Amino acid sequence: MQYYTYEMAHVFMHPVRLMARTLKAQVASPLNPFADLEFSKNIAAACEVFEGMTRRYGKPEFGITETKVGGLTVPVREEIVLKKTFCNLLHFDRDETVVGKRYDPKVLLIAPMSGHYATLLRSTVQELIKEHNLYITDWTDARDVPLHEGGFDLNDFIDYIIEFIQYLGPNTHVIAVCQPAVPALAAAAVMAANDDPAQPSSMTLMGGPIDTRRNPTQVNKLAEEKPISWFESNVINFVPFPNAGFGRRVYPGFIQLTGFMTMNLERHTQAHMKLFENLVKGDCDSVNAHKTFYEEYLAVMDLPAEFYLQTVKTVFQDHLLPKGEIMHHGQRIDCSAIRKTALMTVEGERDDICGLGQTEAAHDLCSNLPIDEHYYYVQPGVGHYGVFSGTRWRTEIAPRIREMIRTVQFKRRTGGTETRMPLPYHTLHADREAIVDWRAPTGAAPNGSAAG
């Protein structure tokens, strides 16, 4: 019923939005002799803020048409290389006629399936394609998938990841951002247990809820407060007609967005008040920056109900992965089976969605990895989104991931016989007694800071 109410509200608001756009066009028209009056500017600004807050935002485009490689501007083309019911594997193909044949590491970037589209990682992609052969999971809005196509749950998510890695072949490096850290780690464990020749060379988990019992956030506490039956009764809805997925049970994106907005309501309110002020002043740069962010942030997608409910129960309530009790098609997933996939975890110091230590927990689970293939980094001064976007991502985090990938690639190419290379980030000891900064001179005391 919530979904139908939401749809009807949009229908009823459509003529109101149309009137707001019409009024704005009239008062802001250069033909209006009163357009420069403060009163007219206030009306135009109010209409624009109202229209932006009440309209529906469709799926954004990545819009990445070029990148810089070795100082050269290289055209980039998006291509779908593998189609699945609930996801497309998207490749960012750089024009080799400009830059020549390159043998950059293959990277599979796993975007979160948590209400926003994969384009939320646009800045992540923009940085990675400079020096990597990049692929990304482009998840499909569940409301657009016909009911006869079947369901999608956590097991299917793991299957998709395994299939994508196998498609890309050996020497693939996986980066999972936020929610897919759990299925990515599970997929690597399944492939390791089966001695799959396509096991990824490295896996980077960024701000992921591996063990939400550590330093729980408000999001974690909300997930534990209610039984799974409450979530099924209160947030699961049927996709209304005339959408292609009519009749499918989903966790609607607008409910997820409402939760996110409520968590930081004061900040979002102030942002829109600032937008109003900037519109009145004519500060175009600030207005465009606001619109760019919110056009992405307010574009949401529906999640399959079975996937959402299983994730809540498995990851946030029962903590099956860190307990070693998670199952995949009847087979227990054992992360200690991972021996050939280097592990790096990245966390934000001020992350209020995935608390410090939750992603780091993956190192305890991958107990049979060599000591020098555990990499742990905490970025000071950033929250959840700062882990994969913004200045700190470009200047602090991405270079460390790039160096790790190339170090691991070099080690695999030489059969692991070469001496360990100095790394510009921290390596986590298996005994967890010290975090070593390999930039320190030989014999120096370990740096106990996890932040760098």
Side-chain angles (χ1 to χ4, degrees):
M1 185 58 68
Q2 288 175 310
Y3 212 141
Y4 283 92
T5 303
Y6 172 77
E7 291 291 313
M8 290 302 296
H10 265 284
V11 171
F12 286 129
M13 287 300 296
H14 180 73
V16 182
R17 289 195 298 272
L18 181 60
M19 286 189 292
R21 288 198 297 268
T22 303
L23 178 59
K24 174 183 177 274
Q26 290 176 343
V27 298
S29 172
L31 300 178
N32 181 3
F34 306 106
D36 290 332
L37 296 179
E38 191 74 13
F39 177 73
S40 298
K41 291 180 179 179
N42 286 339
I43 293 178
C47 289
E48 186 163 346
V49 172
F50 173 80
E51 199 278 332
M53 292 178 62
T54 57
R55 73 182 177 92
R56 174 176 288 165
Y57 292 82
K59 181 181 178 181
E61 299 291 334
F62 277 101
I64 301 174
T65 58
E66 61 181 34
T67 187
K68 290 283 188 180
V69 179
L72 297 175
T73 300
V74 181
V76 175
R77 178 174 62 91
E78 296 178 25
E79 59 176 350
I80 298 174
V81 295
L82 188 61
K83 286 189 175 184
K84 302 288 291 181
T85 303
F86 285 89
C87 185
N88 292 325
L89 183 60
L90 189 63
H91 180 219
F92 292 91
D93 185 30
R94 297 171 301 183
D95 190 345
E96 292 184 350
T97 62
V98 175
V99 73
K101 182 67 176 177
R102 292 178 63 91
Y103 298 91
D104 288 334
K106 289 178 297 185
V107 171
L108 171 61
L109 179 60
I110 307 175
M113 192 179 189
S114 56
H116 284 100
Y117 292 96
T119 50
L120 189 68
L121 303 186
R122 183 182 292 103
S123 61
T124 316
V125 171
Q126 288 173 328
E127 191 62 32
L128 290 175
I129 59 174
K130 295 176 181 178
E131 298 187 46
H132 302 89
N133 185 14
L134 186 66
Y135 298 78
I136 189 172
T137 57
D138 188 16
W139 300 104
T140 304
D141 191 338
R143 65 187 265 153
D144 296 330
V145 181
L147 190 59
H148 66 79
E149 294 285 358
F152 183 89
D153 60 14
L154 194 55
N155 282 323
D156 295 314
F157 199 120
I158 296 172
D159 290 339
Y160 273 34
I161 294 176
I162 293 174
E163 184 175 349
F164 291 156
I165 295 173
Q166 290 173 337
Y167 174 83
L168 297 179
N171 301 318
T172 297
H173 301 266
V174 174
I175 300 176
V177 179
C178 191
Q179 167 268 324
V182 171
L185 182 58
V190 171
M191 297 181 75
N194 296 333
D195 197 23
D196 194 312
Q199 293 178 59
S201 293
S202 76
M203 176 172 49
T204 302
L205 309 180
M206 304 175 65
I210 300 299
D211 188 351
T212 59
R213 296 172 299 180
R214 299 187 179 189
N215 193 20
T217 63
Q218 188 62 31
V219 174
N220 306 146
K221 294 174 182 177
L222 288 173
E224 290 184 327
E225 285 178 357
K226 306 290 185 180
I228 199 65
S229 57
W230 182 91
F231 288 95
E232 189 164 11
S233 300
N234 290 274
V235 301
I236 300 301
N237 286 255
F238 289 94
V239 175
F241 183 82
N243 297 290
F246 170 61
R248 179 179 294 280
R249 295 174 71 239
V250 297
Y251 173 55
F254 70 86
I255 294 181
Q256 176 83 317
L257 180 62
T258 301
F260 282 141
M261 296 286 282
T262 303
M263 284 179 57
N264 298 285
L265 185 59
E266 183 178 356
R267 187 174 67 185
H268 291 297
T269 302
Q270 291 176 349
H272 282 83
M273 291 175 64
K274 193 67 176 177
L275 171 63
F276 175 83
E277 296 174 2
N278 290 329
L279 285 167
V280 173
K281 291 188 300 183
D283 186 349
C284 297
D285 289 341
S286 298
V287 169
N288 290 335
H290 176 98
K291 289 183 176 180
T292 298
F293 174 79
Y294 276 99
E295 283 176 3
E296 190 73 57
Y297 189 78
L298 298 177
V300 291
M301 57 183 284
D302 297 348
L303 307 182
E306 55 272 30
F307 166 76
Y308 171 77
L309 294 172
Q310 191 177 359
T311 298
V312 170
K313 184 164 179 60
T314 300
V315 177
F316 296 97
Q317 293 186 346
D318 296 342
H319 315 287
L320 296 186
L321 180 63
K323 289 180 179 178
E325 300 173 1
I326 190 171
M327 306 292 288
H328 176 253
H329 298 307
Q331 174 187 357
R332 188 177 71 87
I333 296 175
D334 181 11
C335 293
S336 65
I338 300 175
R339 299 172 182 268
K340 301 178 181 179
T341 302
L343 174 65
M344 181 175 188
T345 58
V346 181
E347 298 182 327
E349 180 188 26
R350 300 177 181 175
D351 195 332
D352 59 353
I353 293 179
C354 189
L356 275 176
Q358 293 185 9
T359 313
E360 178 197 359
H363 293 283
D364 291 337
L365 301 179
C366 300
S367 55
N368 286 323
L369 266 178
I371 292 176
D372 62 341
E373 295 203 349
H374 286 266
Y375 308 104
Y376 173 47
Y377 181 71
V378 174
Q379 177 59 52
V382 303
H384 188 70
Y385 293 98
V387 171
F388 56 87
S389 64
T391 302
R392 300 288 181 88
W393 151 249
R394 294 191 303 272
T395 61
E396 300 284 342
I397 300 172
R400 287 173 164 84
I401 296 175
R402 180 175 63 246
E403 184 68 18
M404 181 276 294
I405 288 175
R406 276 165 169 71
T407 300
V408 171
Q409 187 123 320
F410 176 77
K411 183 178 180 181
R412 299 290 186 267
R413 188 180 299 121
T414 58
T417 59
E418 298 295 324
T419 57
R420 183 168 55 210
M421 298 173 62
L423 305 176
Y425 40 70
H426 300 100
T427 300
L428 182 65
H429 264 241
D431 60 9
R432 295 182 48 77
E433 292 181 357
I435 295 176
V436 177
D437 185 345
W438 290 107
R439 292 171 295 182
T442 303
N447 182 350
S449 168

